[in-house]
Amino acid sequence: MQDFEKEPDLSVWMTGGRRKPEMDIEVRYAEGKDMVLQYLDYISKSGETIWTAPDGRLAVELEIEFELSGVRVIVYIDQVIVTNAGRLVVRDLKTGSSFNSPIQLGTYDLALSAEYGVRTGWGDFYLAKKNKPSAPIDLSPYTPERVGAWFKAMDSAESQGIYIPSPGDHCRVCGVSQWCVANGGTDYQEAS
């Protein structure tokens, strides 16, 4: 409802596939309810639990602010779970078919290290459409130096108004694709 109040013109809403916005809302509502029920069933059978951080916060939508190579980073970690084998895993919940980047999980793991001195070393994406997590992802390559260098380069480019496109299937749901040079938009140099 909050989104409708912000933008009541449904014709400008992004939809899944070629559905009209009204139908998309109905379909997503029904699918969303099913995904929640399936997730509850998955959790009850998996033996996984939610980790409690040393400061007593339950690791659900866990907000952490930290620095990487001098760049302020704020993350909201969907979940840190404890597997039935006792391993900590950083988990991001995905309800769509969107691009799933291990960099996201690696950044979350670095945030846990900065805040609590804990690195899980592993992450996954819970894929709601498939009702299961992805294969475990090794997060050891995502060191503070490596990820910090990426964040520093991105921060430097952003401060100069340089936005490098990364074309792919995700372009269809990108909020800035109409201005992106990869989709026929104006090149940042031309706009200067």
Side-chain angles (χ1 to χ4, degrees):
M1 226 33 192
Q2 203 174 32
D3 290 331
F4 184 74
E5 290 169 7
K6 286 182 187 175
E7 180 51 74
D9 181 2
L10 294 181
S11 70
V12 299
W13 285 33
M14 289 193 310
T15 62
R18 301 188 190 282
R19 295 185 207 128
K20 293 189 181 293
E22 298 81 6
M23 177 58 72
D24 194 55
I25 291 169
E26 286 182 36
V27 169
R28 287 177 188 264
Y29 182 77
E31 286 176 349
K33 285 183 2 185
D34 288 343
M35 286 178 185
V36 169
L37 294 173
Q38 289 174 1
Y39 183 66
L40 292 172
D41 185 55
Y42 165 80
I43 287 297
S44 70
K45 292 176 181 173
S46 72
E48 298 170 349
T49 58
I50 299 295
W51 181 63
T52 301
D55 60 8
R57 294 191 294 165
L58 199 58
V60 174
E61 285 299 317
L62 186 61
E63 179 183 358
I64 299 175
E65 182 175 338
F66 70 115
E67 278 196 14
L68 277 173
S69 298
V71 178
R72 183 174 148 239
V73 179
I74 302 172
V75 299
Y76 296 87
I77 304 170
D78 286 355
Q79 298 178 340
V80 180
I81 61 162
V82 181
T83 67
N84 53 11
R87 176 187 291 171
L88 288 182
V89 175
V90 176
R91 174 169 289 163
D92 194 70
L93 305 175
K94 297 294 185 189
T95 58
S97 306
S98 61
F99 177 68
N100 301 323
S101 169
I103 297 168
Q104 177 184 12
L105 299 174
T107 303
Y108 290 170
D109 202 29
L110 294 174
L112 289 172
S113 178
E115 185 77 8
Y116 302 113
V118 173
R119 282 220 56 192
T120 68
W122 293 92
D124 68 26
F125 295 99
Y126 176 79
L127 309 170
K129 286 186 174 183
K130 296 181 178 181
N131 192 30
K132 66 179 185 178
S134 68
I137 299 167
D138 177 7
L139 301 179
S140 63
Y142 301 97
T143 63
E145 297 77 21
R146 176 184 245 183
V147 178
W150 295 337
F151 272 79
K152 191 171 185 173
M154 182 275 311
D155 187 58
S156 176
E158 197 281 330
S159 69
Q160 297 174 57
I162 299 170
Y163 304 99
I164 300 170
S166 179
D169 183 50
H170 52 279
C171 290
R172 65 185 176 78
V173 294
C174 177
V176 297
S177 65
Q178 64 189 14
W179 300 284
C180 181
V181 66
N183 289 316
T186 304
D187 189 303
Y188 69 89
Q189 292 176 342
E190 294 175 41
S192 302

